[in-house]
Amino acid sequence: MAERVFVEQNFETVEPSQLISKVGDFKADGCRLGQICGVVLDDETYEIVYSFDKGHQLYNLRVDIKIGEELESITGIYWPAFIYENEIHDLFGVQFNHSALDYQGKFFKISEETPWKPKK
Amino acid sequence: MSAYVTKSPWVVHYDGSSCNGCDIEVLACLTPMYDVERFGIINCGNPKHADVFLVTGSVNEQNKGIVKQIYEQMPEPKVVVAVGICACSGGIFKDCYNVLGGVDQVIPVDAYVPGCAARPEAIIDAVVKGLGVLQAKRDAMLEQKPAEEAPAEEAVEETAEAVEEVKEEGGEE
Amino acid sequence: MGKRTIIPFGPQHPVLPEPIHLDLVLEDETVVEAIPSIGYIHRGLEKLCEIKDFNQMVYVIERICGICSFGHGWGAVASMEGAMGVQAPERAEYLRTILHELGRVHSHLLWLGLLADGFGFESLFNHCWRIRETVLDLFEKNTGGRVIFSICKVGGMRKDISNENLKEMKEVLEGLKAEIKEITDVFINDASVQNRMVGVGVLTKEEAEELCAVGPVARASGVPQDIRMTDNHGVYGKLGFEPVLEEAGDCMARTVVRIREVFQSIDLISAAIDQIPDGPVDMKVPNKIEGEYITRMEQPRGEAFYYAKGAGTKFLKRMRVRTPTNMNIPAMVKTLAGADLADVPMLVLTIDPCISCTER
C-alpha cells in the first residue's frame, strides 16, 4: 500500500542539451510524467518546467531557453507529453523537434498567434 | 399540427466556452427537482429537431462557425437563449485573448439569462419567455406566406448548402 | 481488410455536455485510430490571471470548471499560501477538506447520471441527479452557491460554517447513503448495464503507468495513486484515508471506483465533522508573493497541478493549472483503438472528460 508523503519542492536547473538524458533517467527510474509548463521569465527568456512523480514525491526539471531557440521533444520517452508540447508550441511559440505527434500549430485554434510570446 | 409547437418545445444545447457551471444547471433543469419535462420540454441532440437553442459560454474563433452552423440547421421558427453571463457578454472572461464576447456577436439572441452560474429557475423563466417569442415568430411566418408553404426546391438547396458547409469544415481539419 | 472510413465525433454530440472533437478512423465497425482535437473552449484563463491580484484570481480560477470549482479554488490558494510560506488555520483546513469531499460526491453523482444517459438508461440518470440535488442544497445552505462558491481565499475561508450546520450536513449525508446504494446497486448488478461495461475498454496496469493516467482511471487499473496520500494540504492524514483500488481496468472498474469513492467521501466528511476543532478560519497574510510553489490536488477526476510563481508583488508571474483530463486523454485515445464504434461514447465518458478544465 502507498505511504503518506510530504511533497518537497525539488527544482533542478538543466541545460537544454542535457534534457533528453535527464528525462530518460527519470523514465528508467519508473517516474510518471506530471506536467510540462511554460513560463515567460522576461522579454527574452522562457523557462520550461518538467515535473515527474514517483510514489507521490515530485521532481521538477527547469530548462531556460532564449526566445526563438528550439527544444528536443520528449515524446519519444513519454508519449503523453505531446499534449503539453503542442500546447506550449501554440501558446508560446516554442518549437519542439522530432515530436511523435505534432499538430503543426493546429492544437489550439486561437484568434491571436502565440498570445504568451512577449511583444517586441 | 405545428400550432402546438409552443406547447412542447424541444431544446438543443451547445457549450460555447463556458466553465461547465451553466451546462450542469441546464441539465439540472431537466431532472426531477426542476423537471421541465412537465412542460413538454425535451433536450435533444439533433439541431434539426429543436425549436429552442440554449447556448452557454462565450464564443471564440474556433466555435463561432459551429454555433452558426447549429443555428442554421434548426428549422424556422426558432429561438436562441443565452444562458449565463458569459453567453450574454463574456462575463469574467471578457478580457481573455481568446474570447470574442457574447453569443449575440454571432447569432441573434432572443432571451438573456444573467448569473454566474445561471440558476435553474432563471433558465426555465427564460425558456418560457422565449416561447412567447417563438409564438410571435410563428404568427409572423404564417402571415407572410398564407396557405402556400415554402417551395420544395429551396429546402433542397438549403440542405445542399449545409452539406457543402460540413464538407468544407471537414476539409480544413 | 475492411473499408476505411473516418467518422467525426463531436464537437456537438448528444452524449457530450462539452465540445471535444475526435476523428475516428474505422475499419468496418472497429476503431483503428482516434485523433483528438481540442481547443473549442480555450479562453486563455491563465493569461487573465496575470492582470488579477491574488485575491481576485481565486474567482477566475474557480471558473476553470463549474463541477470541481471548490477544488480549483483551493488548489490555487494552497500554491499561493505555499509560496508565501503561510499555513491556513486548522479549522479552515478541515472546512476545505469537507467541502472538497462534498464536491466529489456531487461530481461523481453527476458523472454517474451522465454515464447512465450515455448508455440510454434515462430513469437512472434522473435518479442520480435527483439525489445530487440534496448535495447541492447542502452547498447552497453553507456557501451560498450551487456550483460556484468563492468561499476559499488566501489565508483561510471567507466565512465559517457553524457546528450546527456541520452536524446537519453529516446527518443528511449519512441518510443519503441508503438512497445512493439503491441506485449504485443498479449500476453494479443490472445485466443491461453489465453488457455495456464489463470487459469494455480495458486499460492494463502497465498501460496506465506508461500513459501516465491519473485519478479514478489509474486506480481502476490498480495503480495506487491518489494525491490525498500527500500531507501538504487538507487533513486527510488524520482521517485514515486509503485510496480506492480496482484491478480490472475496464469501464465497469472505473465506474465501481467512483461509486466506492462516493461512500468513502461521505465517511471522510463524517470523520472530519467529528474531529473539527473550534477556532479562527482566517488569518492575515503578506501582501506580496515571492518564490514559487507547486501544489497538487486530488480532484474528482484525478491529480491536478497548481504552479504559482510570484513576482514580489500582489500579482503573479505565472499561475499554471494542469487539470486531470489533460493527463487522461492519452489513455482514452489508447483504449479507443480497437474498440467498437458503438462503445465509443462509453469509453469517452468513463475517463470523465472535463473539457473546460483541459483547455482553460
Side-chain angles (χ1 to χ4, degrees), chain A residues 1-7 9 11 27 32-41 47 49 51 53 56-58 60 62 77-80 82-84 87 91-92 103 107-110 115-116, chain C residues 35-36 38-39 42 46-47 50 210-214 224-232 236-237 241-242 245 292-294 296 303 305 307 309 317-318 320 322 326-327 329-330 333 359-360:
Chain A
M1 206 80 273
E3 280 175 22
R4 301 201 67 81
V5 292
F6 184 86
V7 180
Q9 303 289 315
F11 285 94
K27 174 85 176 179
R32 173 176 69 85
L33 176 70
Q35 59 111 30
I36 307 174
C37 161
V39 184
V40 180
L41 274 193
E47 175 184 293
V49 180
S51 305
D53 170 297
H56 298 126
Q57 190 56 267
L58 200 59
N60 305 296
R62 203 200 303 265
I77 307 167
Y78 286 102
W79 182 68
F82 79 88
I83 292 197
Y84 308 108
E87 183 180 310
L91 301 184
F92 292 82
Y103 278 74
F107 200 58
F108 284 117
K109 214 195 268 176
I110 31 186
W116 288 79
Chain C
I35 305 153
I38 63 171
H42 181 69
E46 290 172 356
K47 188 85 176 162
E50 288 182 355
E210 174 73 29
L211 296 167
C212 309
V214 296
Q225 184 228 75
D226 195 315
I227 305 305
R228 287 174 284 179
M229 291 301 284
T230 64
D231 283 327
N232 298 52
Y236 292 104
F241 172 79
E242 282 288 329
L245 286 185
E292 57 188 343
Y293 200 85
I294 292 184
R296 288 176 302 164
E303 169 206 55
F305 257 83
Y307 172 56
K309 192 180 178 73
K317 199 172 202 95
R318 179 83 159 104
R320 151 82 170 167
R322 191 229 78 203
N326 244 331
M327 213 65 255
I329 284 181
V333 171
E359 298 168 9
R360 302 172 308 279

Side-chain angles (χ1 to χ4, degrees), chain C residues 333-352:
Chain C
V333 171
K334 172 77 189 55
T335 47
L336 278 173
D340 281 347
L341 178 60
D343 287 332
V344 170
M346 286 294 95
L347 296 178
V348 174
L349 276 176
T350 49
I351 71 154
D352 198 356

